[in-house]
Amino acid sequence: MKLNLLAFIGCFLWFQNSVGQYTDDINSNRPGNSMSAFSVGKTVFQLESGINYLDESHNLLDYTAKGYGVDLTARYGFYREQLEAIVNINYQNDCYNSDVLSQHRNGIKTTTIGFKYLFYDPMKNYEKAVNVKSWKANHQYDWHYIIPSVAGYVGFNLNTHKELFSRTTENIGTFGPKAMLITQNILPGAWVFVTNIFMDQYGTSMQSLGYVVTLTKGFNDQWSGFIENKGIKNDYYSDGIFTAGAAYLVSSSLQLDASVSRNYKDTPKLLFVGLGASWRFDGNYDEVLYRTPKKEKKKDKSKKSKAKEKEKSKKRLDEFPSVK
């Protein structure tokens, strides 16, 4: 779930004895549209899939498109704990009807391949200091939580059926690069706030800028709910889509979810109702250890040197009792 809290980031040459990104419970991006900052963990393989009923209509162009779509996402952590490869395939099957055309459309709408890397985690090695003299200081809000984790994503789209589902007659192109900045705040009370800012189909006629903001709340060990807003804008199309849904944790490696999405305009008007599941295989995962900070090693050396100096001075005093 997006509310799972454990993660790892840091300079690889500095850390050794700390926890990696692997979480006890599955960490899924479903059922929302946003991408979390944390990876699944090195050698962990994860599948996320769902089926959506879709209903699209346009008041001005006077067309309707009804059918279903299937999303499949495969995630794999490799090389480092904070790095993962992501493959997303979107299949659509619908019936398009207008005054001039009736068409049954089906095919892979998009295939996206990319990589995500977590650059910074503010909770890494953080522990709030306890003030034994002040109850108020120990119970006041910890502003450290407002500092987000930061990750980046780069990839590209394979627009295999670009003309079939496009809202424009312009040639989109077979390849469309995609880049994204991801932030995530883990807040007290089992709240998680995720922000994605992205550029999609870069360099094509459908080049888009957009964002996704998701707020998730964990109700207990099994149930969580979320609300989300996605905005997108290009030369031919702009929209805002609102999504709400819930997820249920069946086991540590299996999650079920449901969601409903609706946009705010009628050119076109969109409705999506979806059900999905996420599953992971972590049988090959081994806990990763990293080196302790060099600063700590320097402190240890200084302590040892001070102890040696004390021993030497004590010996000098024993050898020359008159100095005492």
Side-chain angles (χ1 to χ4, degrees):
M1 295 183 189
K2 289 180 181 176
L3 54 88
N4 289 322
L5 308 184
L6 296 180
F8 167 81
I9 187 63
C11 179
F12 181 76
L13 296 177
W14 283 11
F15 298 98
Q16 184 171 9
N17 298 321
S18 57
V19 181
Q21 295 220 344
Y22 177 82
T23 55
D24 292 334
D25 296 327
I26 186 171
N27 176 16
S28 175
N29 289 323
R30 290 191 58 85
N33 296 291
S34 64
M35 187 181 294
S36 67
F38 303 125
S39 74
V40 292
K42 189 177 179 181
T43 73
V44 176
F45 175 72
Q46 187 162 308
L47 287 175
E48 303 172 10
S49 183
I51 184 169
N52 300 283
Y53 165 77
L54 58 94
D55 187 344
E56 179 178 343
S57 61
H58 201 295
N59 282 1
L60 297 180
L61 300 180
D62 195 24
Y63 74 79
T64 62
K66 295 183 180 181
Y68 68 92
V70 178
D71 293 312
L72 175 64
T73 300
R75 303 168 60 187
Y76 182 72
F78 70 104
Y79 184 55
R80 293 186 181 180
E81 280 286 291
Q82 59 268 48
L83 177 65
E84 74 174 27
I86 307 169
V87 178
N88 176 261
I89 301 173
N90 177 256
Y91 170 84
Q92 186 165 318
N93 188 315
D94 65 23
C95 291
Y96 177 92
N97 293 288
S98 68
D99 293 338
V100 296
L101 179 65
S102 292
Q103 182 182 18
H104 176 234
R105 308 181 299 183
N106 70 92
I108 296 176
K109 190 174 182 180
T110 58
T111 300
T112 307
I113 303 171
F115 302 90
K116 182 178 68 176
Y117 190 87
L118 178 66
F119 293 103
Y120 175 69
D121 178 9
M123 305 308 293
K124 174 70 179 65
N125 289 335
Y126 172 74
E127 185 176 352
K128 184 179 179 180
V130 178
N131 190 332
V132 295
K133 297 182 180 180
S134 174
W135 181 92
K136 183 178 180 181
N138 289 328
H139 290 80
Q140 66 183 3
Y141 185 80
D142 187 355
W143 293 101
H144 189 83
Y145 286 106
I146 68 173
I147 304 173
S149 300
V150 180
Y153 170 91
V154 291
F156 60 91
N157 302 285
L158 292 174
N159 304 312
T160 51
H161 288 75
K162 49 187 179 296
E163 292 85 6
L164 188 60
F165 298 103
S166 176
R167 292 187 173 90
T168 175
T169 57
E170 295 287 337
N171 183 19
I172 299 176
T174 304
F175 294 93
K178 182 176 182 178
M180 185 187 307
L181 175 66
I182 305 167
T183 66
Q184 180 167 338
N185 293 85
I186 299 171
L187 306 171
W191 290 93
V192 176
F193 182 68
V194 176
T195 300
N196 295 175
I197 300 173
F198 63 87
M199 176 177 286
D200 201 6
Q201 302 288 359
Y202 179 76
T204 73
S205 60
M206 290 296 289
Q207 179 174 307
S208 304
L209 288 173
Y211 69 88
V212 187
V213 290
T214 306
L215 182 63
T216 304
K217 166 65 177 176
F219 302 114
N220 52 45
D221 291 340
Q222 281 76 42
W223 285 98
S224 66
F226 79 99
I227 55 174
E228 180 178 271
N229 174 232
K230 178 180 180 180
I232 186 170
K233 181 177 176 58
N234 58 42
D235 292 339
Y236 301 94
Y237 173 70
S238 64
D239 209 343
I241 301 173
F242 298 90
T243 305
Y248 178 75
L249 189 66
V250 179
S251 67
S252 62
S253 295
L254 178 63
Q255 174 190 295
L256 303 178
D257 62 73
S259 62
V260 178
S261 299
R262 178 74 167 84
N263 66 335
Y264 71 88
K265 58 192 295 186
D266 55 11
T267 54
K269 180 169 65 176
L270 303 173
L271 174 66
F272 301 94
V273 180
L275 297 173
S278 302
W279 170 84
R280 74 175 178 182
F281 174 75
D282 56 358
N284 296 326
Y285 181 79
D286 291 322
E287 186 174 350
V288 179
L289 297 178
Y290 295 83
R291 289 193 290 272
T292 53
K294 290 182 178 180
K295 291 182 179 180
E296 292 183 9
K297 292 180 179 180
K298 289 180 180 179
K299 289 181 180 179
D300 293 340
K301 289 180 180 179
S302 62
K303 288 180 180 178
K304 290 179 180 179
S305 60
K306 287 181 179 179
K308 288 181 180 180
E309 290 178 1
K310 286 183 179 179
E311 290 178 2
K312 288 180 180 180
S313 61
K314 187 176 180 182
K315 287 181 180 180
R316 293 193 192 100
L317 292 174
D318 291 336
E319 292 174 357
F320 305 94
S322 59
V323 178
K324 296 179 183 180

